[in-house]
Amino acid sequence: MKAIVIYNSQTGFTKQYAQWISEELSCEAVEFSKGAKMDLSDYDTIVFGSWCMAGTLTKLDWLKKNLNRFYEAGKKIAVYAVGASPIENPEVDVAMDKLFAEEDKTKVKVFYCPGGINYENMKPFSRFGMKMFAKALSSKKDATEKERKQGEMISHNYSLIYKKYLEPVYEYLRKNSD
């Protein structure tokens, strides 16, 4: 398998997963700004990783624009989405299911990898938005227990990343690739 990992990372969690994939698969990992401009014809496997924002994946439009071309060239395509929610959050599956249209779901496999919050590395707009969201949840008059916990969780830095979350990605990529 000749693979490449193209990743878009804001706070470092997506980059860490890219590095782990690169080590495990002995392949190159490149930042999106470089990878999106590369000639990918020599690769049979493309792994795209990015961070979740408001129920979608940043820079996903690039992959969607190229998806048919990659698929028709016989490339195996995997996406890992990194978000602040724990993996067991039922909203994660709902969000991941909405990333691609039904007709494209046979061309790409999507995986969720928990990330976390790192306010110091966020761009100002993202940091402001997250802080406001955390405050809104925490101070909501009729907040549910779930909302209060979420508000508390996202009000400070934390990390949920572990290599184990990549096991399904490796399994998928190695299946029928030898």
Side-chain angles (χ1 to χ4, degrees):
M1 161 184 6
K2 184 160 185 201
I4 187 167
V5 181
I6 298 172
Y7 67 91
N8 180 49
S9 187
Q10 177 177 224
T11 60
F13 300 111
T14 307
K15 180 179 182 177
Q16 179 61 71
Y17 280 120
Q19 290 170 338
W20 286 336
I21 295 168
S22 173
E23 291 166 9
E24 179 71 21
L25 301 180
S26 299
C27 69
E28 185 178 8
V30 297
E31 290 185 29
F32 177 80
S33 59
K34 177 183 174 189
K37 298 173 188 169
M38 290 176 64
D39 175 5
L40 302 174
S41 58
D42 288 342
Y43 298 95
D44 56 37
T45 302
I46 298 171
V47 180
F48 174 75
S50 195
W51 51 280
C52 300
M53 181 177 71
T56 190
L57 208 53
T58 60
K59 306 297 183 186
L60 185 61
D61 286 346
W62 168 81
L63 182 61
K64 286 181 173 182
K65 185 178 113 186
N66 291 288
L67 186 62
N68 286 332
R69 183 171 56 89
F70 292 157
Y71 182 74
E72 289 167 6
K75 298 183 186 313
K76 185 176 266 193
I77 306 160
V79 170
Y80 69 97
V82 180
S85 293
I87 201 161
E88 59 274 357
N89 182 338
E91 295 169 13
V92 166
D93 290 336
V94 173
M96 295 303 101
D97 191 52
K98 291 179 180 178
L99 291 178
F100 289 93
E102 284 302 318
E103 63 268 15
D104 291 333
K105 290 180 182 177
T106 58
K107 302 171 187 171
V108 60
K109 181 79 172 159
V110 177
F111 301 90
Y112 180 75
C113 297
I117 299 279
N118 184 332
Y119 284 109
E120 288 78 24
N121 290 352
M122 280 185 186
K123 293 179 181 166
F125 178 77
S126 295
R127 181 176 37 246
F128 176 76
M130 286 301 296
K131 289 284 190 180
M132 292 302 294
F133 182 54
K135 186 174 182 169
L137 284 174
S138 298
S139 62
K140 187 176 174 185
K141 269 191 172 186
D142 298 328
T144 64
E145 181 64 22
K146 179 182 172 184
E147 289 171 327
R148 279 193 293 280
K149 283 183 179 180
Q150 183 182 17
E152 171 57 31
M153 183 177 182
I154 66 173
S155 68
H156 60 276
N157 291 344
Y158 64 91
S159 175
L160 302 172
I161 68 169
Y162 293 101
K163 285 183 178 182
K164 70 179 181 180
Y165 295 122
L166 292 172
E167 289 303 322
V169 178
Y170 302 146
E171 184 179 322
Y172 168 75
L173 294 175
R174 288 184 173 131
K175 187 176 182 181
N176 302 323
S177 68
D178 296 328

